[in-house]
Amino acid sequence: MTVFDSGFGSSIGYGQTLPPDWPGGFWFHWGVFVVIILVFVLAMVMGFIYLERRGIGRFQVRLGPNRVGPFGVLQPVADALKVLIKEDITPAKGDKLVHWLAPVVAFVPVVMIFAVVPFQGGALLADLNIGILYVVAISSVTTVGIFMAGWGSNNKYSLLGAMRQVASVVSYEIPVVLSIIGVVLLAGSLSLSQIVLAQDIPFILLQPLGFLLFFIGGCAEINRTPFDLMEADSEIVAGFHTEYSGMKFALFYLVEYAEALAISAIITTLFLGGWRGPVLPPFLWFLIKVLAVFFLIFWVRSTIPRIRVDQLMAFAWKCLLPLALINLLITGIEVLVLPEALPWTIIFLNLAIMAVLIALWSKLFRLGGGRVEV
Amino acid sequence: MVIKTEPFVVNIGPAHPSTHGVFRMRTTLDGEVIVDMEPVFGYLHRGIEKLAEERTYTGVIPLTDRLDYLASMSNNLAYVLAVEKLAGIPVPGRAEYLRVIMAELQRIASHLIAVGAFLNDCGAFMTPILYMLREREKILDLFEMASGQRLTYNYMRVGGVSQDVPEEFIPALDKFVKVMPGFIDEYDQLLAENEILLARAKGVGILPKELALNISASGPVLRASGVKWDIRKADPYSIYDRFEFDIPTGSVGDCYDRYRVRIQEMRQSVRILEQALEQLPQGEVRSDVPHLLRPPVGEVYGHIEAPKGELGFYLVSDNSIAPYRLHIRAPSLINLTALRDMIIGWKVADAIIIFGSIDICMGEVDR
């Protein structure tokens, strides 16, 4: 049980910012943080939905929702209420149990990711010393839920979408994990709060290529444009949730945004220095960084067309994977050979390496794929 | 272990976000690859050709509005040209210019929708089409000034146009013509060199020159395949021989070429509009035509270069007040016949953009 030593039991790594007379023991801490996480996730998802709709509205030369409440801030609430009172339909020939279970299987792991995300120093449910490994493992479970949805719906569009999802997650998991290892090498720990504490300089500067790979791979895993193949509305209607309505659909909607929130939070923690920052309180810094990453995600969404399913695979295996391996190799060499080097040297070295590699790959690699003889 | 697989049938449409109406592709898929496709249409059939036999020659004009409802002005123009050819009715000079102005504005509006919808099919989440709708709104404002309508204009008449344009129309059009080239540049830069768009559209859905000629494709679909054929030049109608403009053509005939040709055509339309504005004369907009027109016995084929291709009206008259027979050569329908050859072997996602790049309007396909 060495794995859980710093995570459970009496010593919960309260860290530096929590007062030493923090009341209660393990269970109190557990209860409080479960409530905090649920409230945080739901509130942030509402905020994200509002922000994305308003933001994309601006990108698309229109206003976005502005009727419900001041500046339309209550629009997500209205949407949630609408979706709650909708009829819940199960396809007659669908697999009823799988269809019913799928949204739950998809939603629960996403919330569980936040168990190890440090909102500020010490403010997290469990400071697992294998934190990032836990995140990688648990976030993949969502895929099972989505494939269950595709299978249980007994709908061809759903199945196509679900199969695309499985394929993309299996492929993109690898570059994502490899780019995480670069960070772990630098921080010397798998624990998310230790990684944050190690970032005197945010790792985005020391690991620019790793950040890029993680961001792209993360977008692919949570199915954001240009990788939103599993729900590609112009191709397969709504993908895996074509047959869902009512609260089950709402859960999938929640999953989509909670995943975006999770990936923003993980990027913030791994690359942007987590809660650390001057002047403002730590939690506020965390929020600002999460929102900035999310802004980047929906900026991309409103700009770029979607890539095709074979191109998605080619991009993961032929472009991201080699780059991730090279990045890992270079990071390893740097950690081994230049442990005492000035950070600025490493920053410029890494930026130069990234520029060269990206230029090289944009010359070597073409998204392509063509016609199949039938 | 060998997993046994078999192709399965997916109905894309009739109610599908990307079928631009009620078109149905009955596709047989092997995984994601399309091995067979059977187009099914007719869901929007309203019997316009038959209805026309029960109406006066003027009464048919509103019906033509409902053909390609994204290019009603062009439909009006094609029909009235056919009737004028049949009855030998002269058209006043100002009316001719107004017709050309309306037809070219309509071409821009229709191409905006075509390009926007194509990019939307590529998965660019609504952004390009909303930028393009912004300019289309301005064109619709102009049409509203002239005809009072924003979708089905019913503006052209046999022997002219229904009414002269109001005085605020010309300054508004002048302003539009001045700003439009800048906006076309904006659309051009929006995604033209985007790596993902190139990967998705270049080399995809190639329509070879020979096949395009064989199926008698027309409009941007034919020109993208490298055939320089534009009825405005090949068989000039109305007063198109008075304007200078080029015919943009593609080289390969893939989706990207069709997209580029449409953008280039918008530039040429703006050029025509500039010249038409300069030359626009004063005077009557409608010649004297009897209410119940009785063209002499005979038959005629009038065709124009509509935004989607060659739009032709074949009219047979028996000297009564209604056409004896009306047949419409709808460019969308004819261009659609190439679809199966273009999409076999491509993936589902490609099928959607190939279909989108043909730019059809179901109102015209099903009539």
Side-chain angles (χ1 to χ4, degrees), chain A residues 21-157:
Chain A
D21 55 342
W22 180 254
F26 168 73
W27 290 109
F28 184 76
H29 174 87
W30 188 86
V32 165
F33 266 94
V34 165
V35 172
I36 286 178
I37 285 171
L38 279 176
V39 169
F40 175 78
V41 170
L42 292 179
M44 285 297 279
V45 163
M46 293 258 181
F48 270 20
I49 292 173
Y50 172 73
L51 271 182
E52 173 157 31
R53 292 186 61 180
R54 286 290 280 195
I56 286 192
R58 290 291 164 176
F59 281 122
Q60 298 179 342
V61 287
R62 57 190 173 87
L63 291 175
N66 63 350
R67 293 285 141 182
V68 193
F71 304 106
V73 282
L74 295 179
Q75 186 67 44
V77 182
D79 287 349
L81 283 177
K82 185 202 79 171
V83 120
L84 276 174
I85 57 175
K86 285 251 176 188
E87 187 188 352
D88 183 30
I89 299 166
T90 312
K93 290 190 176 173
D95 190 329
K96 301 239 169 18
L97 179 67
V98 175
H99 188 266
W100 178 83
L101 208 56
V104 184
V105 175
F107 182 61
V108 171
V110 183
V111 184
M112 282 168 72
I113 291 175
F114 291 93
V116 294
V117 173
F119 298 108
Q120 62 181 46
L124 71 171
L125 177 55
D127 189 5
L128 291 185
N129 57 9
I130 50 153
I132 191 65
L133 192 62
Y134 166 85
V135 169
V136 170
I138 205 87
S139 63
S140 310
V141 179
T142 303
T143 314
V144 178
I146 283 166
F147 192 75
M148 282 165 73
W151 177 259
S153 298
N154 192 19
N155 179 315
K156 287 162 186 169
Y157 292 129

Side-chain angles (χ1 to χ4, degrees), chain A residues 326 354-365:
Chain A
I326 293 172
M354 179 178 83
V356 169
L357 282 177
I358 289 179
L360 203 63
W361 247 260
S362 61
K363 281 265 182 292
L364 291 176
F365 176 76

Side-chain angles (χ1 to χ4, degrees), chain A residues 30 92 100 112 185 210 219 236 240 244 277 303 306 309 311 331 335:
Chain A
W30 188 86
W100 178 83
M112 282 168 72
L185 277 178
C219 278
I236 48 171
F240 67 97
Y244 278 87
T303 315
R306 182 186 305 126
V309 62
Q311 294 167 345
T331 313
V335 168

Side-chain angles (χ1 to χ4, degrees), chain B residues 194-236:
Chain B
N194 183 291
E195 185 68 34
I196 298 178
L197 185 75
L198 289 178
R200 285 296 305 278
K202 253 211 149 79
V204 172
I206 293 174
L207 180 65
K209 205 173 185 175
E210 296 73 33
L211 183 63
L213 289 171
N214 246 344
I215 62 155
S216 83
S218 54
V221 176
L222 178 68
R223 289 194 283 276
S225 296
V227 184
K228 210 166 184 163
W229 171 260
D230 187 319
I231 295 163
R232 288 175 293 176
K233 290 268 193 199
D235 179 16

